[in-house]
Amino acid sequence: MDPAQVEKEAEAAALAQVAKMFQRPDQLEKLDALKKKAERKKAAVEAMLRTGVHSQVEGIRAAIGHLTTACEDIKYVENSMQDIYDLLKRFPEIKTKMKRLSEANTVHRQYAAAMTNLTHIFNIRETIEKTHEFIMEGKLLAAHKHIMELEQARDDLMFEVHKLPSERTELDKNLLKNYFVEVEKLVADLGKQIWYILSRSLEAVRVQERQKGQDGQQQLVTALRIIEREERIDKYYLEHKASTNNFMPPGRPRQWKKECFDVLERNVQHRVEGNQLEDRSINKQWLARYLEVCRRVVVEDLRVAKGGVVNCFPPHYQIYERFVQMYHNCISRKLREIAQDKLEKNELVQLLNWVQNYGGEQILGNPVLQINTAAMLADFPVLPKSTINQLCEQFVEITKKDMHEWLEKTLVQEKDTGLK
């Protein structure tokens, strides 16, 4: 851009502005005031320009300072990286020298594990016999303590073998497993005792209520304590599986808590289905008798579960809610099986009436049980609506058939009477 041209354009613009400001003679009287105003404006613009230029200069100076510092830091990092690289060059040599020490350390760990568990290894027969005696005598906590000690000795040795990158690893692990094979038998025997105690949990509480004793309840608490121990051991090995190169001791995870609920559910199923001692060929009122026995059993069992069994189980088991759901599911399955059979008229009435009263005070709606039957039946009804409709239709069809037969017999009788 030409400076002379810019100056001419500025002068032309100034002349045009002055001509606009002094179009009349009386406006010349304001000349001094306008000069002062222009000077003030000029001074303000110059001050703004000086401030802007100063800020830019300071910013440039700061940026140059940062660049200088960054350059120095880069040089320092470069020198440090070179020093580190020089130090790392010696690591392969050190690794080679430390290989023998690492091998010796591995052997030492194995020896240490063996020495730690030497007592259990040498006395395994005696410990197994004593543990078996404890199981037979009902001293389950003492038996489980010995089993845990034997398992820990076995698992420690197997873990040391598992860490070795050797072709004999599986062979050595099988050798250890066979040496401790009796431990698994003890676990199975202990499990049988625990499942037996759990299957009699309701009966144990009833006996306690009648005899004011503590033995049955104490056994139940003992069994649950052992289950909780096993759950913690399972959790430990599952959580450390990734960090131990997928090592998992034999028989783990045992999942005894899940088995506990399965045992209880099988017992509930037996309580519900085992009460049907008759059928139509033996007693015409078999269904009414079965439903009444089932009602009494369910109400009494849930009362015992709420009043006594719940005190033996840990709170997070929510055992009463589980018992309610188990009984409800078993009853529902049994009634659905019955509904699939060809029922007689009185049996249809008995079944539909029992289903109608299922949520009432006579069964699950009993105030002592404190069950929210409305919510439970809304989520999972004892019989589907379609099944109930089907039963009602069967009742109507049977009634129609009976009415038809009765009318035919009546007409025949009236006809015979008229002929006489």
Side-chain angles (χ1 to χ4, degrees), residues 216-234:
Q217 193 175 27
Q218 185 62 40
Q219 284 186 338
L220 180 57
V221 173
T222 297
L224 292 169
R225 287 178 62 186
I226 294 173
I227 290 173
E228 284 296 287
R229 286 180 182 177
E230 289 293 325
E231 285 296 303
R232 286 194 292 270
I233 297 173
D234 283 350

Side-chain angles (χ1 to χ4, degrees), residues 199-208 210 271 304 309:
S199 66
R200 297 187 69 257
S201 56
L202 293 172
E203 186 62 29
V205 175
R206 287 195 185 93
V207 171
Q208 177 190 343
R210 291 195 298 265
R271 294 283 294 170
V304 173
V309 175

Side-chain angles (χ1 to χ4, degrees), residues 126-153:
E126 180 182 347
T127 305
I128 287 174
E129 292 176 1
K130 186 181 295 185
T131 304
H132 187 71
E133 291 177 3
F134 283 152
I135 294 174
M136 293 297 101
E137 295 172 0
K139 299 177 181 179
L140 302 185
L141 284 177
H144 189 245
K145 178 177 179 295
H146 284 186
I147 289 174
M148 287 195 300
E149 291 173 351
L150 291 173
E151 284 187 329
Q152 184 176 1

Side-chain angles (χ1 to χ4, degrees), residues 85-134:
Y85 180 73
D86 294 337
L87 292 173
L88 290 176
K89 284 182 178 179
R90 293 183 291 174
F91 269 71
E93 182 181 353
I94 295 175
K95 182 179 179 181
T96 303
K97 293 180 179 179
M98 295 292 290
K99 184 177 180 181
R100 293 181 60 187
L101 180 60
S102 176
E103 294 173 353
N105 182 50
T106 302
V107 175
H108 175 74
R109 283 202 312 268
Q110 294 175 352
Y111 288 159
M115 289 295 294
T116 303
N117 301 292
L118 202 58
T119 303
H120 300 302
I121 294 173
F122 284 139
N123 299 331
I124 184 171
R125 298 300 173 191
E126 180 182 347
T127 305
I128 287 174
E129 292 176 1
K130 186 181 295 185
T131 304
H132 187 71
E133 291 177 3
F134 283 152

